[in-house]
Amino acid sequence: MELRHLRYFVAVAEERHFGRAAARLHIAQPPLSQQIRQLESELGLQLLRRTTRRVDLTPAGEAYLLRARQIIAAVSSAAGEAQRVAAGLQGRLVIGCVGSATYSLLPQLVRTLREELPDVEVAVQGEMLAPDQARALVEGRIDLGLLRPPVDEESLQVRVLRSDRLIVAVPDGHRLAERSRLRLKDLAGEDFVIHAGSGRSVMHDTVVARCRGAGFEPRIRHEVAETSTLVTFVAAGLGIAVVPAPVAELMVPGVAYLPLTGQAAVDLAAATRVDDEAPQLRRALTVVSGLV
């Protein structure tokens, strides 16, 4: 039995006439009659009562018509769904994001994805450090990472999206808060609040390296995993922090943000698995590239 047998049967059952059904199907009447007889023979039962003027359904034919319509509809629906998935218009996408991009890029990205790809289920795991995102990508727990390079993993592809300048977050009332801008060496001797230790955070390594390049070792008092916690600690007066400029969008009371002189900046990149060719991922990459 083939799907065409079901289509032929449904056409005859709905038209109640072989001639009209044949015209509807754009085939000759004799082959249509032959196909219906083959179907009945395979099933071992009579589906149609034939007269010289019309065709009627047997009780078995009535039951078979109901199921045949459901099967044809299911096949059509499956084809449509497969086409939408192949076009990247349907599916699932899990996004990981570093803290600073969580507050700036991520909200606009998710809104745009929902507008342009309403049938793609978008899930977000925010406040993930870059090494955690790299592991999650390799293990297939996320599909797209918005992170700070470098990423030392051959199975991942990294595309730089933009460069975020570095700024200094200081508590309101701090002696540096009145300055219009700062140099890194102005931070020597200050207590630092910084992202989690070496190897766990790109920002940790970046800040330490730049301080050393400015001639001093940062006095690290607190290490935290989440950017929101880092800024909260600054607001509490526990230290100062060097952060990417988008962090200022958190608008935490009690914190002043000051620009750094020079070209101090960190990249924000999109990371994916090299072998991930999911159409919805390609569409998401196009969207995110258009937002930065």
Side-chain angles (χ1 to χ4, degrees):
M1 185 188 303
E2 300 177 16
L3 186 61
R4 60 187 173 87
H5 290 108
L6 298 183
R7 298 189 189 278
Y8 291 168
F9 169 70
V10 170
V12 174
E14 291 178 349
E15 297 292 342
R16 293 295 201 271
H17 192 278
F18 275 92
R20 291 195 296 270
R24 169 175 156 181
L25 294 167
H26 305 290
I27 62 174
Q29 181 174 334
L32 175 59
S33 299
Q34 182 181 9
Q35 294 293 321
I36 297 299
R37 283 195 296 269
Q38 288 179 357
L39 176 61
E40 290 178 318
S41 175
E42 183 172 341
L43 294 173
L45 51 84
Q46 184 179 5
L47 299 173
L48 303 170
R49 294 193 188 94
R50 301 158 177 83
T51 68
T52 56
R53 294 188 176 183
R54 59 176 286 133
V55 176
D56 290 318
L57 290 168
T58 65
E62 292 282 0
Y64 198 75
L65 175 62
L66 175 63
R67 292 299 187 186
R69 283 170 169 163
Q70 292 173 345
I71 292 170
I72 292 171
V75 170
S76 177
S77 176
E81 182 175 344
Q83 290 167 354
R84 290 180 62 78
V85 170
L89 299 174
Q90 191 167 326
R92 190 168 190 267
L93 185 69
V94 184
I95 303 173
C97 195
V98 293
S100 54
T102 300
Y103 318 124
S104 55
L105 177 61
L106 189 64
Q108 187 179 5
L109 172 61
V110 173
R111 284 195 300 268
T112 305
L113 287 174
R114 286 178 173 172
E115 291 171 0
E116 297 190 10
L117 306 171
D119 293 327
V120 173
E121 179 188 353
V122 178
V124 175
Q125 296 185 20
E127 290 278 7
M128 293 183 71
L129 298 176
D132 296 332
Q133 288 192 54
R135 284 191 294 272
L137 281 165
V138 171
E139 295 169 4
R141 291 184 282 114
I142 64 174
D143 307 302
L144 170 61
L146 301 176
L147 47 71
R148 304 286 180 190
V151 175
D152 185 20
E153 177 55 61
E154 292 183 357
S155 64
L156 301 182
Q157 181 175 0
V158 179
R159 307 167 180 83
V160 173
L161 299 173
R162 73 185 186 201
S163 183
D164 292 327
R165 61 188 177 87
L166 294 177
I167 60 175
V168 183
V170 301
D172 278 351
H174 190 281
R175 64 179 184 82
L176 296 176
E178 301 301 321
R179 302 275 292 273
S180 59
R181 61 178 53 244
L182 296 170
R183 299 167 300 173
L184 271 171
K185 65 181 183 180
D186 294 331
L187 308 181
E190 296 292 332
D191 292 339
F192 275 72
V193 183
I194 196 169
H195 284 89
S198 179
R200 293 183 56 201
S201 165
V202 171
M203 278 303 303
H204 178 283
D205 296 346
T206 297
V207 171
V208 170
R210 288 189 175 276
C211 289
R212 289 172 178 170
F216 71 96
E217 190 73 21
R219 190 166 67 198
I220 299 172
R221 294 304 190 192
H222 300 278
E223 294 188 9
V224 300
E226 297 183 345
T227 303
S228 56
T229 304
L230 182 148
V231 177
T232 301
F233 277 23
V234 172
L238 298 178
I240 60 98
V242 177
V243 295
V247 172
E249 298 186 26
L250 269 173
M251 301 296 289
V252 174
V255 180
Y257 296 97
L258 304 172
L260 278 170
T261 59
Q263 302 297 318
V266 287
D267 290 334
L268 177 68
T272 59
R273 290 181 293 278
V274 171
D275 60 354
D276 192 342
E277 299 180 354
Q280 67 270 26
L281 177 59
R282 292 198 299 270
R283 285 185 174 268
L285 287 170
T286 300
V287 170
V288 74
S289 297
L291 295 176
V292 294

